[in-house]
Amino acid sequence: MLINRRLYWNCDEVLMGQLSSKRDIPRIRFSANEEGQNRYCSQHFDTNSQQQDGNLQIPPIIVVSDADSSTSEHQGSRTELRRSSIYSPLDLVPQLEHYDGTQPHSKSRPSLEALRRSFEEAEPGIEVPDSTTDSRLSVLSTTDSGNEEPPAAKAKAPVRFGWVTGVMIRCMLNIWGVILFLRLSWIISQAGICESHPDTTTKDFYSVTSTSLIPSPVSQVFTFPFLTVLTCLIILMSVTVTSVTALSISAIATNGRVFSGGAYFMISRSLGPEIGGPIGMVFSFANALACALNTVGFAEVVRDLMLEFGVVMVDSINDVRIVGVITVTVLLLISLAGMEWESKTQILFFLVLMISFTNYLVGTFIPHGPEKQAQGIFGYRSEIFIANLKPDWRGPEGSFFHMFAIFFPSAIGILSGANISGDLKDPATAIPKGTLMAIFWTTISYLVISVTIGSCVVRDATGNVTDILTGNLTEACTDLGCNLGWNFTECIQTKCEYGLANNLKVLGQSSGFYHLITAGVFAASLSSALGFLVSAPKVFQCLCRDKIYPYIGVFAKGYGKNDEPLRAYFLCYVIAVAFILIGELNTIAALISNFFLCSYCLINFSCFHASITNSPGWRPSFHYYSKWTALFGAVICVVLMFLLSWRFALVTFSIIFFLFGYVNYNKPKVNWGSSVQAGTYNMALSYTCSLSGVEDHVKNFRPQCLVLTGPPNQRPALVDFVGSFTKHVSLMICGDIIMDQERQTRPQDATDWVVKWMTKRKVRSFYTPFFADSLRVGARHLLQASGLGKLKPNTLVLGFKSNWRESSPESIESYINTIYDTFDSNYCLCILRMMDGLDIFDQFDFEVNQGFESDESVENNDQPSPERVSADISNISDSDEIKTVFQNDQGKKTIDVYWIADDGGLTLLVPYLLTRKKRWHSCKVRVFIVGDEQNMEEGRNEMIALLKRFRLDFNDVIVMVDSEKRPHSKNLNRFVESVAPFMLSDENQDCASAPWQISNKQFESFRLKTERKVRLNEVIRRNSQHAALVLVSLPVPQTDCPSSLYMAWLDTLTCGLHCPAVLIRGNQQNVLTFYCQ
């Protein structure tokens, strides 16, 4: 890094808070876990940009006229009734009536213009040179480490899938689960034909059979016009959520290139790592559990099949565990063989399911003999169809909400294709087309099976062929079977074994060949288990690569041409085996449903949020979506979570909030251009514009500070002081005036490093570098151009120019003129003086460029190269970072406020804001005022009354009765010696002098003011030796006062203190009030 040369004002070698001796912006390195997201923006202003762009316009200069100046002069004639301060006859001490705006003839304090006007001559105008502002657009970083594809093997191209094999078939296989074959008939018996054609859920599947089969996702279904209202509501809600989620997935997937990670990738890149990280963790875990549940479902079917043949390995439970572990191990081997083998296996399962469906449909048209009819299977009959249209709630599970809990979770499978987005040829095309087509065809299949099975099988049947009616109907036969030639009346009193409501294998019995349905059950359960076993590692690998959570990076490594997450495969396998061995998975099933619903909710919300923020980067090529339907889908998902199980919904949200808090606290170093960032910008812009229409009110006054820090990391005390009372309260802008000759040598990333430094130091501030010809010109333009709307600074904060005696007279004149410009702009002013100075650059062990020192000669023959200097600075560790007094706990020290002149209350407001902070909370504020010995107690009581009305809780008021005494001669002589270099010689008294030169006549005219300031310093040093901070009212400079004399006054007021001192002055307008309106 090159060392730039500039002239700055500092406590040691400072001009206007800018560095005067060592101009450099140290590059400070940060570790990944220390850097957070940048919360600050930077603005660049250039006073020479007019030559480059003639179209730029000067921001309007706001001129505040002083309409009350004549009034102030008139009131000055009554000074005998109003005590003046020791600074000027017009400068009044604080008085209560100045704040009493309700009185029609209330007294007002003199304006800044009146205070600065000379008694002998009128105030000359200050010519403001023409300037232009150039707002440079910062280059937005488009690099995204999280979006980069892993390097593929060069030997052979990786396997990529199209929308049919990669998305549609996968989604259909996951939607078609074992519930399609084993539980759909039971749902029809409960809710009616059209009220039940989508799938069932794991939880209810278990409750019926005491088994642990997985809820296999089912698609949406369309309803018939003759449905009941409740059935229409259930179907409509399921269809809406599934369809809207699929549309939202399609919109997000087509808004830029989608890589591996599936739902996690989409949510995290849309809503940021704070939301994406928790969902990625939960979604990966839910897929692993879903693999276990589907495997258990398959194992239970195998166990039941073994029992039919009298085969028992150990016992009922352990047989399921053994078969389950063997099955998931085989599935793992298929996954480890690669996506190509896994895809071929899924196609095989798909073909088996197609054969099973065909076998079932053919079987419904085959005439059934007495044995099948005794089991309630009659073929297509209109009587059966009409009877099964109406719901028949039975048992504790027969309720609307319970059936709804069975009905909805079929939608889990719609993300199966998106979860392997990294293995698709064109995810933007494959995900929308494949997902929507899978939903359509599975909806048709569920609708067809629901109608056909409900048209062929009665709800109850005995299975006894002797129940056939051979003669006339008797009055005892009241069942539907009576019309079909069978007497199933006994099923009304006792539970029968056959029929839709009793026989879970009725789908196989209605088919042409029973064992083909068994093969379909195997294919459905194994395909779902294999799909989840592949999805979980893919999603988890993407999460690990983003480095959002610690200790999981080991699972990010990929192998082979397809970058297979082998380590994540083994992790998912271990989780699945663990839950298979547990055996009791009934409660886990409802939690999984909530996990998936939470993912759907955030997918819909991601689509809505990206649309509502109007971000220019939201440009999905899939246009068949709506932000309002996406929002509706998100709300419905939350409602369904609580309808399914409010306890598990709370558990799900608790896990999400815990993981969210961790990510939000650590703030990972990622920038994905999320819609949250766009929403933050929209909110800030909207509120800023709204704030512009709000009139200012004294109750809402905040000291919004423009701090001339130079590079903030070289002036930490100045930054920390202002941040102590502006953090979370008001605006803070760090202004850095850069000389034109330094533009070429300034590093391009200097602004980024400064902002990172402020972020690491937890400073809430904007950073504004400004290129200018001179420091005064730069400061003047910052005063005019900084801020936005009502978020505009009203207070300028400088560092004290402690080296003013050694500086050139021109630099002193520039410093004082900046103070003049501050008051001309109607700004408040604060000048901070530190005992050891503000510039900490001397603590770094190397020399600086000679160009930093305009007033001193610096030998730089042995000066190190800029590269070595940059390396030295960047190696500074966290323990070596400079700490200032404002970062320490101040304990029970005092904050001494010398409220000499009534400035509107800023002198009191700043210490009050400081005491609200934890480090200053125990400090006691003491207020010193000017008074006389005769009226000391009266003046003290009046000030206490004023402070009580201000509700500042400042009770310690001290009246200085000796402030107007003559100072000690040695102190006065020291002052005379400090200004001696600027005094005109006797022979040049009548010659034209420079603004900084002092004639004998001028010195004598200001002698009384000089003595009072020297005396005030004596009082301050006597009373505030052990204070934590001293604030003194800043005297307003008069136009006829030489700059060197005024500089000597400022030096005299604050010299000899062992704590930070602040010269502070408001703009003569109220910032405190004791009224409610």
Side-chain angles (χ1 to χ4, degrees):
M1 180 185 296
L2 296 179
I3 302 180
N4 299 325
R5 304 185 176 191
R6 296 183 194 171
L7 178 65
Y8 285 96
W9 301 330
N10 170 283
C11 195
D12 299 313
E13 300 162 313
V14 175
L15 183 59
M16 292 168 47
Q18 308 285 335
L19 185 60
S20 68
S21 62
K22 308 164 184 67
R23 174 64 189 179
D24 185 23
I25 301 177
R27 178 174 296 189
I28 302 175
R29 300 182 186 275
F30 302 89
S31 60
N33 62 346
E34 292 170 339
E35 289 186 0
Q37 293 181 344
N38 296 339
R39 298 190 301 269
Y40 313 95
C41 66
S42 60
Q43 300 173 348
H44 300 71
F45 299 100
D46 193 346
T47 59
N48 295 328
S49 60
Q50 186 176 8
Q51 297 176 355
Q52 302 174 2
D53 189 353
N55 296 326
L56 297 176
Q57 299 296 328
I58 304 175
I61 299 176
I62 302 176
V63 180
V64 181
S65 61
D66 186 11
D68 298 329
S69 59
S70 60
T71 306
S72 300
E73 293 177 355
H74 175 71
Q75 291 177 347
S77 62
R78 297 183 297 162
T79 55
E80 68 277 4
L81 301 178
R82 305 168 64 186
R83 184 178 182 84
S84 61
S85 70
I86 62 176
Y87 293 152
S88 170
L90 291 179
D91 206 0
L92 305 178
V93 298
Q95 297 184 20
L96 184 147
E97 54 265 27
H98 291 168
Y99 302 89
D100 191 0
T102 60
Q103 299 298 327
H105 302 289
S106 60
K107 300 177 181 179
S108 61
R109 67 181 66 85
S111 65
L112 288 174
E113 181 181 358
L115 291 174
R116 296 193 60 231
R117 183 178 296 112
S118 171
F119 290 108
E120 289 85 6
E121 55 186 55
E123 178 182 7
I126 299 179
E127 181 180 357
V128 180
D130 189 14
S131 64
T132 59
T133 60
D134 178 19
S135 179
R136 297 184 179 180
L137 296 176
S138 59
V139 179
L140 300 178
S141 174
T142 59
T143 60
D144 187 355
S145 60
N147 289 357
E148 295 180 358
E149 283 186 303
K154 297 182 179 179
K156 186 177 179 181
V159 178
R160 295 288 185 259
F161 305 107
W163 69 273
V164 176
T165 57
V167 180
M168 188 184 75
I169 291 180
R170 291 179 182 276
C171 290
M172 293 176 71
L173 287 174
N174 278 272
I175 291 173
W176 288 329
V178 293
I179 295 174
L180 171 66
F181 296 97
L182 300 181
R183 295 299 177 269
L184 185 59
S185 58
W186 176 77
I187 299 174
I188 294 172
S189 69
Q190 289 278 336
I193 293 177
C194 297
E195 193 169 337
S196 60
H197 23 281
D199 107 305
T200 179
T201 187
T202 310
K203 175 181 175 182
D204 303 291
F205 177 83
Y206 304 155
S207 62
V208 176
T209 62
S210 300
T211 62
S212 301
L213 291 179
I214 175 65
S216 183
V218 178
S219 140
Q220 325 143 341
V221 291
F222 299 94
T223 176
F224 287 91
F226 40 78
L227 275 180
T228 61
V229 175
L230 295 181
T231 305
C232 293
L233 180 61
I234 293 175
I235 295 177
L236 179 61
M237 292 177 66
S238 299
V239 170
T240 300
V241 173
T242 309
S243 301
V244 168
T245 303
L247 295 178
S248 299
I249 293 173
S250 302
I252 297 174
T254 57
N255 187 51
R257 190 175 181 183
V258 177
F259 298 96
S260 61
Y264 159 71
F265 184 91
M266 298 179 187
I267 295 175
S268 62
R269 270 54 177 180
S270 296
L271 294 180
E274 292 83 2
I275 300 296
I279 285 299
M281 188 70 73
V282 168
F283 192 67
S284 302
F285 185 71
N287 275 273
L289 294 186
C291 174
L293 290 174
N294 277 281
T295 305
V296 170
F298 168 79
E300 290 185 346
V301 175
V302 174
R303 179 201 59 187
D304 295 340
L305 189 62
M306 291 168 51
L307 290 176
E308 292 181 5
F309 293 95
V311 178
V312 177
M313 290 183 287
V314 181
D315 54 45
S316 177
I317 296 178
N318 287 312
D319 286 356
V320 171
R321 293 171 178 170
I322 294 172
V323 175
V325 171
I326 295 174
T327 302
V328 77
T329 303
V330 174
L331 295 179
L332 175 65
L333 295 177
I334 297 175
S335 301
L336 295 178
M339 288 298 297
E340 189 173 2
W341 282 94
E342 188 270 346
S343 178
K344 292 178 181 178
T345 306
Q346 292 285 30
I347 293 176
L348 176 62
F349 290 149
F350 182 77
L351 293 177
V352 173
L353 281 172
M354 291 296 100
I355 295 174
S356 298
F357 289 153
T358 303
N359 171 62
Y360 163 73
L361 292 176
V362 171
T364 58
F365 290 96
I366 297 176
H368 300 286
E371 183 178 351
K372 289 288 186 71
Q373 291 182 359
Q375 296 174 359
I377 304 172
F378 293 93
Y380 292 101
R381 299 292 182 91
S382 60
E383 308 97 291
I384 299 177
F385 178 77
I386 295 174
N388 287 334
L389 282 177
K390 298 179 181 180
D392 183 15
W393 310 114
R394 298 185 181 184
E397 300 157 356
S399 65
F400 170 79
F401 291 109
H402 196 76
M403 288 299 104
F404 184 78
I406 296 175
F407 185 88
F408 178 78
S410 58
I412 290 176
I414 64 174
L415 293 179
S416 299
N419 287 339
I420 63 164
S421 54
D423 296 300
L424 301 176
K425 294 179 181 178
D426 185 7
T429 301
I431 292 177
K433 186 184 298 186
T435 304
L436 293 175
M437 289 300 293
I439 291 175
F440 174 76
W441 288 116
T442 51
T443 298
I444 296 298
S445 65
Y446 271 93
L447 179 63
V448 170
I449 293 176
S450 299
V451 173
T452 53
I453 196 66
S455 302
C456 299
V457 185
V458 297
R459 282 192 170 98
D460 299 289
T462 60
N464 189 353
V465 293
T466 60
D467 289 337
I468 188 172
L469 296 177
T470 57
N472 295 330
L473 297 176
T474 62
E475 295 180 359
C477 184
T478 59
D479 189 75
L480 174 62
C482 300
N483 298 329
L484 302 175
W486 291 82
N487 186 4
F488 300 143
T489 306
E490 62 180 276
C491 294
I492 300 177
Q493 303 295 331
T494 61
K495 184 178 180 180
C496 297
E497 296 182 3
Y498 296 94
L500 291 176
N502 308 299
N503 187 8
L504 301 178
K505 301 177 182 179
V506 69
L507 210 66
Q509 295 172 349
S510 301
S511 63
F513 186 63
Y514 176 82
H515 293 292
L516 283 180
I517 297 298
T518 303
V521 173
F522 288 170
S525 58
L526 291 178
S527 63
S528 297
L530 182 59
F532 288 121
L533 182 61
V534 172
S535 298
K538 295 284 186 180
V539 175
F540 192 65
Q541 182 188 36
C542 183
L543 175 65
C544 295
R545 283 179 171 167
D546 289 337
K547 299 179 180 179
I548 295 179
Y549 295 103
Y551 313 119
I552 61 174
V554 65
F555 299 103
K557 184 175 177 58
Y559 297 86
K561 59 183 180 181
N562 275 59
D563 193 45
E564 296 292 345
L566 300 185
R567 297 177 180 178
Y569 276 135
F570 282 104
L571 177 63
C572 180
Y573 170 77
V574 171
I575 295 175
V577 169
F579 280 90
I580 289 173
L581 295 178
I582 291 175
E584 294 296 331
L585 303 178
N586 296 352
T587 56
I588 302 298
L591 183 61
I592 294 175
S593 298
N594 274 276
F595 283 171
F596 280 102
L597 276 174
C598 188
S599 301
Y600 300 159
C601 171
L602 289 177
I603 288 175
N604 285 306
F605 183 76
S606 299
C607 181
F608 165 76
H609 196 267
S611 302
I612 202 69
T613 54
N614 295 322
S615 174
W618 175 250
R619 302 183 302 274
S621 57
F622 183 85
H623 302 292
Y624 305 101
Y625 74 96
S626 170
K627 57 186 177 183
W628 301 116
T629 56
L631 177 62
F632 177 74
V635 174
I636 288 297
C637 285
V638 175
V639 173
L640 295 182
M641 290 177 65
F642 284 91
L643 288 179
L644 293 178
S645 175
W646 65 268
R647 294 180 178 86
F648 287 114
L650 293 179
V651 171
T652 302
F653 282 116
S654 298
I655 295 174
I656 294 295
F657 286 143
F658 174 77
L659 296 174
F660 168 82
Y662 177 85
V663 179
N664 190 57
Y665 177 79
N666 286 276
K667 299 189 180 301
K669 184 186 175 182
V670 292
N671 182 15
W672 295 324
S674 65
S675 60
V676 173
Q677 296 173 346
T680 302
Y681 174 85
N682 280 353
M683 291 177 61
L685 184 62
S686 176
Y687 286 134
T688 302
C689 293
S690 301
L691 193 62
S692 299
V694 178
E695 295 184 4
D696 294 330
H697 195 281
V698 62
K699 289 198 302 182
N700 294 325
F701 176 86
R702 300 165 186 260
Q704 303 186 135
C705 299
L706 170 62
V707 192
L708 297 185
T709 60
N713 54 344
Q714 296 177 10
R715 271 291 136 34
L718 193 60
V719 174
D720 293 339
F721 164 67
V722 180
S724 298
F725 63 86
T726 60
K727 190 174 184 179
H728 303 298
V729 175
S730 60
L731 175 70
M732 176 181 174
I733 299 177
C734 291
D736 183 7
I737 302 172
I738 305 169
M739 300 297 105
D740 286 338
Q741 60 268 22
E742 302 167 23
R743 183 182 306 183
Q744 300 300 327
T745 58
R746 187 173 188 265
Q748 294 182 354
D749 59 347
T751 298
D752 294 334
W753 281 112
V754 168
V755 171
K756 289 179 181 178
W757 179 87
M758 292 192 299
T759 303
K760 181 183 178 183
R761 204 174 180 87
K762 298 181 180 180
V763 177
R764 284 183 168 267
S765 174
F766 297 92
Y767 172 66
T768 305
F770 190 95
F771 296 94
D773 294 331
S774 65
L775 296 176
R776 182 192 179 188
V777 172
R780 181 188 299 163
H781 286 87
L782 282 175
L783 288 171
Q784 298 179 40
S786 296
L788 182 66
K790 290 299 177 69
L791 297 178
K792 181 178 177 62
N794 53 30
T795 304
L796 181 70
V797 182
L798 302 174
F800 182 75
K801 184 175 175 59
S802 61
N803 67 330
W804 65 278
R805 295 182 182 87
E806 296 81 19
S807 300
S808 65
E810 291 81 5
S811 65
I812 298 176
E813 181 69 16
S814 182
Y815 183 84
I816 300 303
N817 284 337
T818 300
I819 297 178
Y820 292 166
D821 295 340
T822 302
F823 291 137
D824 290 339
S825 301
N826 204 35
Y827 270 57
C828 307
L829 180 64
C830 290
I831 300 177
L832 174 65
R833 181 172 187 175
M834 302 289 293
M835 179 180 61
D836 297 325
L838 292 173
D839 186 9
I840 54 90
F841 209 80
D842 289 328
Q843 303 183 35
F844 300 117
D845 188 19
F846 58 85
E847 299 184 17
V848 296
N849 288 337
Q850 182 179 358
F852 286 120
E853 293 288 348
S854 60
D855 303 320
E856 302 177 13
S857 61
V858 179
E859 295 295 335
N860 62 344
N861 296 329
D862 298 328
Q863 177 183 327
S865 63
E867 292 78 5
R868 186 167 70 85
V869 171
S870 178
D872 290 339
I873 299 175
S874 61
N875 289 332
I876 298 175
S877 62
D878 296 339
S879 60
D880 296 328
E881 185 180 349
I882 301 301
K883 291 194 66 174
T884 65
V885 64
F886 300 104
Q887 292 181 313
N888 300 329
D889 191 345
Q890 303 301 320
K892 295 186 178 181
K893 297 181 181 180
T894 61
I895 300 177
D896 292 346
V897 180
Y898 291 85
W899 200 14
I900 308 302
D902 191 350
D903 60 348
L906 182 67
T907 309
L908 294 179
L909 181 60
V910 169
Y912 167 74
L913 295 176
L914 283 173
T915 56
R916 293 172 60 180
K917 303 300 180 181
K918 182 179 180 180
R919 294 187 178 115
W920 298 83
H921 185 69
S922 300
C923 291
K924 179 181 180 181
V925 179
R926 300 189 300 177
V927 180
F928 294 82
I929 60 174
V930 177
D932 51 62
E933 192 171 357
Q934 291 78 9
N935 301 318
M936 180 179 64
E937 193 63 28
E938 182 181 355
R940 181 177 180 275
N941 293 334
E942 290 179 358
M943 179 56 62
I944 291 177
L946 177 61
L947 296 177
K948 285 185 177 179
R949 292 197 176 188
F950 286 149
R951 307 173 305 281
L952 295 176
D953 198 22
F954 299 166
N955 299 318
D956 196 348
V957 176
I958 301 173
V959 180
M960 299 181 294
V961 297
D962 56 349
S963 59
E964 297 183 5
K965 292 182 179 180
R966 183 175 178 82
H968 295 292
S969 58
K970 65 175 183 178
N971 295 328
L972 191 57
N973 292 335
R974 187 183 300 115
F975 177 86
V976 174
E977 292 175 0
S978 66
V979 298
F982 304 96
M983 297 290 294
L984 288 173
S985 59
D986 295 337
E987 59 271 14
N988 295 327
Q989 290 293 321
D990 297 331
C991 299
S993 61
W996 56 81
Q997 292 182 319
I998 308 172
S999 65
N1000 292 336
K1001 180 179 179 181
Q1002 289 175 318
F1003 187 81
E1004 289 300 323
S1005 64
F1006 289 105
R1007 173 175 291 274
L1008 180 58
K1009 295 183 179 180
T1010 299
E1011 292 179 353
R1012 290 183 175 179
K1013 292 174 179 60
V1014 174
R1015 176 56 185 169
L1016 180 59
N1017 175 255
E1018 295 175 353
V1019 175
I1020 294 174
R1021 286 190 294 171
R1022 183 185 63 202
N1023 295 325
S1024 304
Q1025 285 296 325
H1026 303 290
L1029 180 67
V1030 173
L1031 295 95
V1032 186
S1033 295
L1034 174 74
V1036 177
Q1038 295 180 354
T1039 55
D1040 58 347
C1041 179
S1043 57
S1044 57
L1045 180 61
Y1046 183 71
M1047 191 72 230
W1049 287 351
L1050 302 183
D1051 186 20
T1052 299
L1053 282 173
T1054 55
C1055 69
L1057 297 177
H1058 299 286
C1059 65
V1062 179
L1063 293 167
I1064 185 171
R1065 186 76 187 210
N1067 62 354
Q1068 302 301 108
Q1069 296 177 4
N1070 287 352
V1071 300
L1072 295 174
T1073 181
F1074 43 77
Y1075 292 103
C1076 296
Q1077 61 182 11

